[in-house]
Amino acid sequence: MKTLIYDRRIKKVIEENAFKVSGLLFLYQTRTGKTLMNLILKWRFISVLYGMFMKSKRSLKQIPVFIKHYNIDLKEIKNPLNTFKSFNDFFIRELKAGSRPVDHQPEHLISPADSRLFVFPIDQAVSFPVKGYWYHLDQLVKDKELAAAYEGGWCFIYRLAPSDYHRYNYIDSGSQEKVITLNGVLHSVNPIALKEVNNIMAKNYRELTLLKTENFGDVVHIEVGALFVGKIVQRFQSAYDFKRGEEKGWFEFGGSTVIQLFKKGTILPDSDILEQSQKGIEVLVKLNEKVGLKL
């Protein structure tokens, strides 16, 4: 299965460089695989064991294979390769200062992560090709009152592929409330799984933070876990005053997703992102780069 994404730097639609796709095709598109997938979801210890392996020295041999397959830019990485103690240690690697410069224009909405971005107006989801992504909003946030406050607003879905930098930032200065945990399973967030399983984002384990931002109003920020480990690490679990571009946390091994909800009349996505989303195509974006405008 080919996954098409739009590279806004070269203004072209390209094929995503997938990794171990055959395994996902087996798990989500065959009878035997679906049975195994159900066992993985039911028996959490399978994911725990896999996570333990990825945090062990035995996983170090995965690093050069991963780097070669994805053509990872080693010049961006803060610490030397020989300092990593496991594959997961490499997976949550930090970048050198300046690798993802923050757009400080207050009216510019910036991306919280390196990712593939898909946007749509919440009330017009039926007219967008959002199969797999969409859900009833109150199912996603588990709060009918909160969901109602975002009717008519925008939903931004940032899908992080395994090759992406897996640390994410605050999109503006402001303050946050206590992080809320929403329990669930750990499906893959790869497009293969999105196509086969309805409402994945509302089924997976996730953590929700209400961000009171200076320029974009109250923003619902949700981290979504994914297949196998998918661990979410928050730097601040309780109330906290943050700065634009400051690190909020990171995902441990496993593809992951950040979802952000904006109220009606607060922002407008960049035209190229909106155009591609209307076609069902995600757009490659980098951490801290402009993805929209304040209204």
Side-chain angles (χ1 to χ4, degrees), residues 135-142 182 201-202 206 222 259:
Y135 35 74
H136 292 293
L137 193 53
D138 59 348
Q139 292 178 358
L140 178 73
V141 300
K142 298 287 187 182
L182 301 172
M201 300 303 176
R206 52 208 184 278
I222 304 170
I259 299 176

Side-chain angles (χ1 to χ4, degrees), residues 38-56:
N38 287 333
L39 291 176
I40 291 172
L41 296 177
K42 181 179 179 181
W43 295 342
R44 194 66 178 270
F45 75 88
I46 297 177
S47 292
V48 173
L49 289 175
Y50 190 73
M52 289 173 63
F53 170 74
M54 285 301 183
K55 291 182 179 180
S56 71

Side-chain angles (χ1 to χ4, degrees), residues 16-42:
E16 184 172 44
N17 184 11
F19 190 58
K20 297 184 178 180
V21 167
S22 58
L24 288 176
L25 289 172
F26 168 72
L27 287 173
Y28 283 96
Q29 294 187 353
T30 69
R31 181 177 296 179
T32 303
K34 288 177 181 179
T35 300
L36 180 57
M37 187 73 245
N38 287 333
L39 291 176
I40 291 172
L41 296 177
K42 181 179 179 181

Side-chain angles (χ1 to χ4, degrees), residues 53 61 76 98 110 155-156 180 189 259 265 273 288:
F53 170 74
K61 62 182 180 182
E76 290 185 336
I110 62 174
C155 180
F156 280 52
I180 299 171
V189 293
I259 299 176
I273 296 172
N288 298 327

